[in-house]
Amino acid sequence: MQATVAGKVDVILHDGEGIEIRDYKTSDTVVTEDDASMQIRLYARGLAVIGEQVCSESIAFLEDATVIPVPVSEEMLFKAEQNAEKLISGTMNREFIPCPGDQCKACDYVRICRFV
Ligand code: SF4
């Protein structure tokens, strides 16, 4: 499968041992913690390809002034990559399985959606 996942890391923090990557989320960002974790793990995967070793990851929720660490391990990065491949494959095969959740609150179709 050939696909490109595009995105950019908000902040790269350097310390003595490696780098930490952080993603910032605002209140108008409709994303679950799991989805945000997957996003940042894919960034780590991409950085590894260019030789940058990510030691830690975090998500900062600006409205709450909280920073949540995202566990990073080879197994978790591999799972995130597999999950992305599964989603891309589903999209390319026109499989759109509904997955109602927190994101429905900001969805334009919530009032007519039969899955909520
Ligand atoms: S309201 Fe329906 S269409 Fe909108 S995000 Fe939720 S499940 Fe998807």
Side-chain angles (χ1 to χ4, degrees):
M1 170 187 6
Q2 284 286 322
T4 301
V5 176
K8 65 175 172 44
V9 180
D10 286 335
V11 173
I12 297 177
L13 305 163
H14 293 265
D15 68 19
E17 298 174 15
I19 59 173
E20 173 180 348
I21 56 176
R22 180 170 295 166
D23 205 45
Y24 290 107
K25 298 296 180 198
T26 57
S27 62
D28 59 351
T29 309
V30 182
V31 65
T32 64
E33 195 175 318
D34 280 350
D35 288 345
S37 297
M38 179 178 155
Q39 176 188 358
I40 203 165
R41 285 178 181 136
L42 291 175
Y43 290 159
R45 222 30 174 182
L47 285 164
V49 169
I50 60 168
E52 293 284 356
Q53 193 59 42
V54 175
C55 295
S56 58
E57 304 173 328
S58 55
I59 304 166
F61 293 93
L62 298 179
E63 295 292 319
D64 308 332
T66 55
V67 176
I68 296 173
V70 176
V72 54
S73 68
E74 182 54 34
E75 182 187 353
M76 288 172 169
L77 298 184
F78 181 67
K79 276 187 185 171
E81 190 175 337
Q82 281 189 318
N83 196 16
E85 285 178 358
K86 190 173 148 196
L87 292 170
I88 291 166
S89 170
T91 301
M92 292 174 96
N93 291 321
R94 306 188 60 76
E95 295 165 5
F96 303 106
I97 301 165
C99 48
D102 285 347
Q103 73 280 3
C104 298
K105 286 183 250 169
C107 177
D108 290 340
Y109 303 102
V110 69
R111 292 175 67 189
I112 59 171
C113 178
R114 63 188 163 118
F115 302 106
V116 179

